[in-house]
């Protein structure tokens, strides 16, 4: 069986100024590369620094590309409805050249309603805008004429049309991604149905994977990226101590938004927020219970919403590489 690929994912949420956030994220990605990670993924968020620290993912990845050599660099995700798709096509084409062909392009429709307004969009219109912009993006990468017979993307980037990943919470989205031959991106956590609050994450996501695989055209290899929260420390006690502030804050935010959260300890929160936290043995046992990871072709780990220090994040990367990856890849 083909080896799964190991990824590191960051939303650039270190407790620091934007400049320091970018420096620390770059150091974390370089650390992941040194420890054998295959890919690094970054998120895009506009305006809300507590949700994510980076509005310009391709610009940031160009910087990271200059400081790395082998690790693949991915967007997870570009919120495509808010973008000019031709500019995304051009910037991605240039970046892929600068990165020696290491770019992976994850795309999604976005999830923060108020962020759409400054771009002249509504949250309700995001699906239609995503579909239209994706069509333009692919057309540019295919080398189609753009508005005039003389206009074609330069530099050409037909290779990027084969490296599109689509983030979705739904069976319908997975079917669309598969029919187009794109990769499927699965979230680190996902809302539970109101009548099934204790449903496991893999129980929610397995039907999505089933639909994706069934709809994939013959001859197209599946690409399934499962993102998971994993914070690994040298002991369970230390890991839970570090995780308590971040997961407690997440619980407070969920309750303030009207969602039910059971219990009031970090152990309660860990299960409900699909967070794999603890020593290597504890995290490995937790991950082995997640059947999605056996079906994924790519697995990316992020520390959010634990929000450890930079030093603890680096240590978690080391422990994942040494003690987790050999048993799940």
């Amino acid at each position: 069986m083909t080896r799964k690929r190991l990824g590191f994912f960051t939303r650039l949420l270190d407790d620091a100024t934007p400049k320091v956030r970018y420096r620390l994220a770059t150091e974390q990605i370089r650390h992941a590369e040194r420890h054998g990670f295959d890919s690094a993924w970054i998120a895009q968020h506009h305006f809300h620094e507590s949700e994510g620290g980076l509005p310009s993912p391709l610009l940031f990845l160009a910087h990271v590309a200059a400081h790395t050599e082998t690790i693949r660099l991915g967007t997870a995700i570009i919120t495509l409805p808010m973008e000019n798709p031709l500019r995304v096509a051009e910037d991605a084409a240039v970046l892929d050249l600068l990165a020696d062909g290491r770019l992976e392009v994850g795309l999604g429709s976005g999830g923060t309603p108020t962020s759409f307004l400054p771009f002249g969009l509504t949250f309700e219109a995001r699906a239609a805008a995503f579909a239209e912009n994706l069509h333009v993006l692919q057309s540019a990468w295919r080398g189609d004429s753009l508005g005039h017979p003389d206009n074609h993307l330069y530099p050409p980037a037909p290779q990027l049309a084969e490296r599109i990943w689509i983030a979705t919470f739904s069976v319908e989205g997975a079917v669309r991604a598969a029919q187009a031959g794109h990769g499927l991106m699965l979230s680190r956590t996902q809302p539970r149905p109101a009548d099934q609050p204790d449903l496991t994450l893999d129980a929610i996501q397995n039907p999505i994977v089933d639909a994706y695989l069934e709809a994939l055209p013959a001859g197209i290899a599946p690409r399934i990226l499962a993102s998971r929260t994993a914070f690994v420390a040298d002991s369970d006690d230390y890991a839970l101590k570090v995780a308590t502030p971040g997961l407690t804050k997440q619980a407070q935010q969920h309750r303030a938004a009207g969602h039910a959260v059971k219990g009031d300890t970090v152990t309660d929160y860990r299960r409900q927020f699909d967070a794999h936290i603890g020593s290597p043995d504890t995290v490995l046992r937790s991950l082995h219970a997640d059947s999605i990871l056996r079906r994924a072709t790519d697995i990316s780990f992020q520390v959010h919403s634990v929000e450890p220090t930079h030093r603890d994040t680096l240590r978690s990367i080391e422990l994942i590489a040494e003690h987790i990856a050999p048993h799940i890849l």
Side-chain angles (χ1 to χ4, degrees):
M1 187 174 71
T2 303
R3 173 186 176 274
K4 299 179 190 296
R5 292 175 290 268
L6 176 65
F8 169 72
F9 175 60
T10 178
R11 287 169 58 197
L12 288 83
L13 284 174
D14 289 274
D15 185 15
T17 64
K19 182 177 181 178
V20 173
R21 279 183 169 184
Y22 300 157
R23 177 176 61 80
L24 296 180
T26 303
E27 292 178 8
Q28 290 161 14
I29 293 171
R30 294 181 67 190
H31 199 64
E33 181 180 64
R34 286 193 292 269
H35 284 82
F37 280 64
D38 301 289
S39 62
W41 301 83
I42 53 143
Q44 177 185 41
H45 289 88
H46 294 284
F47 313 124
H48 304 280
E49 67 174 284
S50 63
E51 292 185 2
L54 183 66
S56 305
L58 296 177
L59 181 60
F60 176 73
L61 287 181
H63 167 76
V64 174
H67 290 84
T68 55
E69 295 180 358
T70 61
I71 196 166
R72 300 197 67 77
L73 305 173
T75 59
I77 55 167
I78 294 173
T79 49
L80 195 58
M82 303 180 191
E83 301 289 334
N84 179 318
L86 288 179
R87 292 294 297 118
V88 173
E90 291 177 326
D91 287 349
V94 172
L95 170 55
D96 197 47
L97 288 178
L98 296 176
D100 292 326
R102 290 186 281 142
L103 180 61
E104 302 285 338
V105 185
L107 305 169
S109 58
T112 304
T114 58
S115 294
F116 289 82
L117 301 177
F119 293 93
L121 295 170
T122 64
F123 190 65
E124 293 71 23
R126 71 192 188 284
F130 177 84
E132 180 179 349
N133 287 356
L134 179 58
H135 173 76
V136 174
L137 186 67
Q138 292 178 275
S139 178
W141 284 339
R142 284 196 304 263
D144 297 345
S145 59
L146 303 170
H148 186 279
D150 292 344
N151 295 338
H152 298 274
L153 185 73
Y154 184 84
Q159 72 281 1
L160 291 178
E162 307 300 317
R163 298 197 220 135
I164 295 173
W165 301 74
I166 303 296
T168 184
F169 277 176
S170 72
V171 165
E172 295 77 14
V175 169
R176 288 192 295 269
Q179 290 173 340
H182 301 322
L184 173 68
M185 305 183 83
L186 300 172
S187 177
R188 67 188 177 96
T189 189
Q190 199 160 328
R192 270 46 171 185
D195 60 341
Q196 294 179 287
D198 295 323
L199 205 63
T200 62
L201 182 60
D202 59 349
I204 295 173
Q205 293 185 339
N206 271 317
I208 297 173
V209 173
D210 291 340
Y212 173 79
L213 293 175
E214 184 176 347
L216 203 64
I220 302 296
R223 290 179 291 134
I224 303 170
L225 171 63
S227 179
R228 293 297 185 260
T229 293
F231 173 62
V232 189
D234 290 289
S235 71
D236 287 335
D237 287 345
Y238 185 76
L240 292 174
K241 177 183 177 182
V242 171
T244 296
L247 292 189
T248 300
K249 180 180 178 181
Q250 186 177 10
Q252 292 169 344
Q253 292 171 340
H254 270 61
R255 287 180 173 129
H259 303 297
V261 179
K262 297 179 181 179
D264 57 4
T265 70
V266 67
T267 303
D268 297 322
Y269 304 151
R270 174 174 57 180
R271 177 182 57 81
Q272 293 174 81
F273 298 143
D274 304 302
H276 305 274
I277 297 168
S279 66
D281 287 343
T282 297
V283 171
L284 193 57
R285 284 195 300 271
S286 180
L287 291 171
H288 275 154
D290 186 345
S291 62
I292 286 292
L293 302 187
R294 294 190 287 275
R295 308 183 73 186
T297 60
D298 298 72
I299 304 171
S300 69
F301 291 114
Q302 57 181 295
V303 295
H304 317 299
S305 296
V306 173
E307 315 306 355
T309 64
H310 175 61
R311 179 178 178 180
D312 286 331
T313 298
L314 296 181
R315 181 58 178 156
S316 183
I317 289 170
E318 295 167 3
L319 292 170
I320 287 172
E322 182 176 356
H323 298 288
I324 305 297
H327 301 285
I328 63 171
L329 300 183

